[in-house]
């Protein structure tokens, strides 16, 4: 069934869902859920839109039944971690390619898809400030590099020229039409933006690369392979009388992720600090 023009804004989320149908059904499910929720806000009264959204709801119900054994579907906190890890893994891949000066369609698509999946995270509640920053940066990077390659220019690696809100919301990595304006081209030095280190000095406040946010105590980029939190708490009971909640396990996992991210940039101090926080939480139940 063709997507009604009134619902054009959800087309990239539906395309991402289709691409992940077999690769990662959980990602496909939440992309469709976000598309359905967004579509309901856009237009749920026009007959063609209503018909499309009802069909999408039926598809979601079918998927939910097929994925009934998946913790990522039955437990929101696990689903949230799954989508966040996947999105930030794509972000880290694209960012590494960018900083190495390897500009190609796959890295553009990874930047853009990660921004879409960070949108999808809103089905679980409000986005963290870190994820809002990653989403803005990823969407800007996708648009900027796309425009450069299209015009035959060599993109600047890293955050040079980054200005918030300069990306095109309608940009699609596979032909959604990047902006024809120069809005995504470098316009100012990154150290004129809040939260950035001077690239000539080599770092932000933590000694890592100067892209937002530079506070690696809060950054949410996973280190290494994607591994969603899907181990039930009861499989690993803590020692003593401490009883941990699923949220405690998720927080501990995030501290470990922050530590991994810091190690990616050889920031040992931040890594140790976050590992100590995880250890304290797991052994005492308190932060």
């Amino acid at each position: 069934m063709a997507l009604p023009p009134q619902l054009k804004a959800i087309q990239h989320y539906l395309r991402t869902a289709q691409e992940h149908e077999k690769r990662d059904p959980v990602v496909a499910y939440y992309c469709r859920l976000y598309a359905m929720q967004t579509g309901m806000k856009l237009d749920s009264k026009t007959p063609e839109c209503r018909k499309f959204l009802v069909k999408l709801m039926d598809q979601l119900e079918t998927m939910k039944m097929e994925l009934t054994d998946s913790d990522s579907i039955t437990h929101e906190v696990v689903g949230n971690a799954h989508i966040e890890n996947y999105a930030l893994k794509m972000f880290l891949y694209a960012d590494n390619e960018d900083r190495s000066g390897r500009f190609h369609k796959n890295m553009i698509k990874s930047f853009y898809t990660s921004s879409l999946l960070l949108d999808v995270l809103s089905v679980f509640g409000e986005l963290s400030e870190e994820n809002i920053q990653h989403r803005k940066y990823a969407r800007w990077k996708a648009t900027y590099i796309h425009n450069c390659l299209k015009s035959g220019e060599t993109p600047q690696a890293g955050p040079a020229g980054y200005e918030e809100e300069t990306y095109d919301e309608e940009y699609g990595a596979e032909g959604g039409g990047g902006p024809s304006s120069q809005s995504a081209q470098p316009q100012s030095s990154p150290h004129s933006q809040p939260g950035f280190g001077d690239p000539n000095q080599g770092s932000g406040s933590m000694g890592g690369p100067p892209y937002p946010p530079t506070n690696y105590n809060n950054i949410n980029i996973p280190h290494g392979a994607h591994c969603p939190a899907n181990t039930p708490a009861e499989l690993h009971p803590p020692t003593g009388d401490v009883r941990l909640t699923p949220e405690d396990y998720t927080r501990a996992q995030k501290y470990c992720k922050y530590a991994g991210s810091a190690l990616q940039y050889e920031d040992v101090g931040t890594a140790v600090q976050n590992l100590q926080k995880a250890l304290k939480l797991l052994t005492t139940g308190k932060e």
Side-chain angles (χ1 to χ4, degrees):
M1 183 176 177
L3 180 70
Q6 302 95 310
L7 302 179
K8 183 185 175 187
I10 67 173
Q11 67 178 346
H12 294 304
Y13 304 96
L14 294 174
R15 181 184 298 164
T16 302
Q18 195 172 5
E19 290 170 350
H20 287 80
E21 198 81 62
K22 291 190 172 121
R23 193 188 318 170
D24 193 322
V26 171
V27 170
Y29 174 82
Y30 283 113
C31 282
R32 289 195 177 110
L33 181 61
Y34 177 83
M36 190 269 290
Q37 291 179 353
T38 305
M40 292 289 285
K41 294 173 189 172
L42 291 171
D43 188 342
S44 61
K45 295 180 179 176
T46 307
E48 59 179 331
C49 291
R50 191 168 186 81
K51 188 176 178 183
F52 183 90
L53 291 170
V54 167
K55 186 177 178 183
L56 187 54
M57 286 180 201
D58 290 341
Q59 191 175 16
L60 281 164
E61 281 303 310
T62 301
M63 289 188 75
K64 196 169 186 178
M65 289 175 66
E66 291 172 349
L67 298 169
T68 189
D69 293 332
S70 171
D71 286 344
S72 294
I73 301 299
T74 56
H75 297 88
E76 275 200 2
V77 67
V78 180
N80 190 345
H82 186 112
I83 301 301
E84 184 180 47
N85 285 359
Y86 196 98
L88 295 172
K89 178 190 172 188
M90 295 191 84
F91 179 96
L92 185 58
Y93 161 76
D95 189 57
N96 284 341
E97 290 293 283
D98 174 41
R99 289 173 184 282
S100 301
R102 294 187 290 268
F103 307 107
H104 49 85
K105 287 183 179 178
N106 196 33
M107 65 91 76
I108 295 173
K109 185 171 181 179
S110 290
F111 264 133
Y112 190 67
T113 302
S114 74
S115 77
L116 296 179
L117 292 177
L118 289 169
D119 283 337
V120 170
L121 273 181
S122 65
V123 303
F124 303 104
E126 289 187 20
L127 295 184
S128 67
E129 184 58 36
E130 301 84 58
N131 283 338
I132 289 171
Q133 290 298 321
H134 281 101
R135 179 179 63 181
K136 287 178 180 178
Y137 184 75
R139 204 160 293 180
W140 168 75
K141 259 296 176 183
T143 307
Y144 164 60
I145 297 171
H146 171 83
N147 282 351
C148 284
L149 296 184
K150 192 174 180 181
S151 63
E153 296 177 42
T154 301
Q156 294 185 49
Y162 172 65
E163 288 190 357
E164 293 181 4
E165 307 296 354
T166 56
Y167 56 78
D168 183 342
E169 289 283 5
E170 294 300 313
Y171 170 73
E174 290 185 332
S180 56
S181 71
Q182 296 302 307
S183 62
Q185 303 302 318
Q187 295 170 12
S188 64
S189 62
H191 53 274
S192 67
Q193 303 299 325
F196 283 79
D198 183 342
N200 298 318
Q201 305 282 323
S203 70
S205 61
M206 285 290 187
Y211 69 84
T214 50
N215 181 359
Y216 287 101
N217 283 312
N218 297 320
I219 200 166
N220 244 354
I221 301 177
H223 177 63
H226 162 56
C227 47
N230 56 7
T231 305
E234 58 270 18
L235 292 183
H236 294 282
T239 56
D241 295 327
V242 179
R243 295 197 175 276
L244 300 180
T245 65
E247 289 75 18
D248 290 332
Y249 281 95
T250 301
R251 279 200 295 273
Q253 186 199 35
K254 286 199 172 188
Y255 283 132
C256 291
K257 279 201 299 179
Y258 303 157
S261 175
L263 289 174
Q264 184 78 16
Y265 304 113
E266 300 179 2
D267 185 352
V268 176
T270 302
V272 170
Q273 185 181 18
N274 281 288
L275 288 172
Q276 286 173 338
K277 285 182 181 179
L279 186 59
K280 182 181 176 185
L281 179 59
L282 290 172
T283 53
T284 67
K286 298 175 184 177
E287 294 189 68

